[in-house]
Amino acid sequence: MKKNLLFVSLLMVAVAGMTVFEVSGADAKKKKKTPVTLGTNPFVTHIFTADPSAHVWKDGRLYVYPSHDVDPPRGCDLMDRYHVFSTDDMVNWTDHGEILNSSQVPWGRSEGGFVWAPDCAYKNGTYYFYFPHPSGTDWNNTWKVGIATSKYPAKDFKVQGYIEGLGDAFAMIDPCVFVDDDGQAYFYYGGGGRCIGARLKDNMVELAEKPRKMEGLSDFHEAAWVHKRNGIYYLSYSDNVPHPNGNRMHYATSTSPLGPWTYRGVILEATGSGTSHGSIVEYKGEWYLFYHDCSISGRGNLRSICVDKLYYNPDGSIQLVKQTKGGIKK
């Protein structure tokens, strides 16, 4: 795999159980804040990763929680073993190693695998890691959203159980947790063409109300992600339309974290990997879209995570994100 990465030079240094990646070149070493310099896309190349969930925590670093495509793949059923990656400059990324795998889930299916797109949230000194995983052999009808907790953002996670009361378990995937400015947390999941949301209790593991369908979305497929900017709530997601290069990423807006939502348009064209799944986050005054493609493997079940700059128009709408190979000033 690495022989094909002619555009990347990686220095891999084992330090206390973690791997640090340094993109070569003068721009990477200077760590200039203005203009922003991004590392090379994809920014993780030693394993295959997808579905990046990005967050900025209290230590000032940006953390990404993706899923992991196992190589060689048999399909999405083999996806397993969550890793965490972080950066403080958008160029150099640290692999903090594996934090969880299916064998550590007491209620999980005996066959393992099937740990798909996760998310993470922080509240009251605890990090909450949310992950979908089936509880039976009939995997697509037995999904649960598990919860693991830790006092650290990238280690020592222990499975605590799963969220109860979510209803029909069919395609109960792609959890997302958004914590609003007032500390109220909201839980979402999106799969099988439906997007569901509800308030969470302060303990972050129980629903505070009956979950409801998110209204106003156009052609929703999966991969819900909610963020807030200037008082506007944004819900981004993957569509159903079978475009030549796969699904696209769309978004909708609302004045409430649970809608109703107003459809706004496409923010990311298909990446060639078939699926589309990403997250939007602000870091050091700049906004970024994280997503995946298959530019390393050429295969939709061996994906790699990328990041590019995201721009808003004066009216709050989002411009179409340009997919790049990174390593450029923005």
Side-chain angles (χ1 to χ4, degrees):
M1 178 182 72
K2 295 178 183 175
K3 292 181 180 179
N4 295 326
L5 300 179
L6 300 180
F7 54 89
V8 176
S9 174
L10 292 176
L11 175 63
M12 302 181 64
V13 183
V15 181
M18 57 184 68
T19 305
V20 178
F21 300 88
E22 184 175 349
V23 180
S24 65
D27 287 333
K29 296 178 181 178
K30 292 179 181 178
K31 297 183 179 180
K32 292 181 179 179
K33 292 185 179 180
T34 306
V36 175
T37 301
L38 297 180
T40 305
N41 274 331
F43 63 87
V44 173
T45 60
H46 66 298
I47 61 174
F48 291 106
T49 51
D51 314 316
S53 168
H55 293 277
V56 179
W57 301 135
K58 62 180 182 177
D59 63 359
R61 295 181 69 84
L62 186 151
Y63 288 81
V64 177
Y65 301 81
S67 59
H68 173 34
D69 286 344
V70 175
D71 184 20
R74 186 176 62 210
C76 293
D77 58 326
L78 289 185
M79 293 173 65
D80 207 337
R81 305 186 179 281
Y82 293 116
H83 282 234
V84 181
F85 304 87
S86 75
T87 184
D88 64 1
D89 60 8
M90 300 302 295
V91 174
N92 304 297
W93 290 87
T94 298
D95 180 354
H96 295 269
E98 181 184 313
I99 62 165
L100 188 69
N101 66 68
S102 63
S103 71
Q104 298 169 311
V105 184
W107 44 264
R109 68 195 297 266
S110 60
E111 299 92 335
F114 282 106
V115 289
W116 289 3
D119 195 15
C120 193
Y122 173 82
K123 192 169 186 180
N124 299 330
T126 299
Y127 294 89
Y128 296 84
F129 184 71
Y130 302 85
F131 61 96
H133 185 52
S135 57
T137 300
D138 182 14
W139 60 272
N140 209 26
N141 290 296
T142 61
W143 287 99
K144 297 183 185 297
V145 176
I147 304 171
T149 61
S150 176
K151 294 299 181 182
Y152 306 95
K155 66 177 182 178
D156 297 345
F157 280 92
K158 304 296 182 184
V159 177
Q160 303 299 329
Y162 54 86
I163 297 179
E164 299 184 4
L166 290 176
D168 182 6
F170 173 76
M172 189 187 291
I173 61 173
D174 297 351
C176 166
V177 174
F178 166 73
V179 181
D180 209 343
D181 301 331
D182 61 1
Q184 175 63 57
Y186 297 84
F187 173 83
Y188 310 82
Y189 77 83
R194 58 181 177 171
C195 183
I196 306 296
R199 287 185 298 113
L200 281 173
K201 291 183 178 180
D202 193 57
N203 61 18
M204 300 293 283
V205 300
E206 296 179 282
L207 297 180
E209 60 184 348
K210 184 178 180 179
R212 69 186 87 164
K213 181 181 178 182
M214 297 294 96
E215 301 290 348
L217 306 179
S218 176
D219 196 30
F220 179 90
H221 176 50
E222 60 186 10
W225 176 267
V226 175
H227 77 281
K228 184 180 182 181
R229 177 183 180 271
N230 293 344
I232 300 174
Y233 298 89
Y234 294 77
L235 194 159
S236 50
Y237 60 93
S238 171
D239 68 10
N240 283 292
V241 179
H243 302 284
N245 292 319
N247 301 117
R248 301 179 299 176
M249 197 179 300
H250 299 240
Y251 82 108
T253 61
S254 177
T255 57
S256 165
L258 292 174
W261 300 91
T262 300
Y263 175 73
R264 296 299 184 187
V266 176
I267 58 174
L268 186 74
E269 293 290 354
T271 67
S273 63
T275 58
S276 185
H277 192 124
S279 58
I280 297 171
V281 67
E282 182 183 19
Y283 188 52
K284 296 184 178 181
E286 304 284 349
W287 286 90
Y288 299 94
L289 173 67
F290 287 81
Y291 60 96
H292 63 241
D293 68 13
C294 62
S295 59
I296 294 177
S297 69
R299 303 175 63 177
N301 52 9
L302 288 177
R303 297 160 292 179
S304 300
I305 53 178
C306 304
V307 60
D308 274 301
K309 187 71 184 300
L310 181 142
Y311 297 95
Y312 296 87
N313 294 312
D315 64 357
S317 59
I318 300 176
Q319 298 178 18
L320 185 69
V321 173
K322 181 180 180 181
Q323 300 173 38
T324 76
K325 292 300 182 183
I328 60 176
K329 295 180 179 179
K330 299 200 151 197

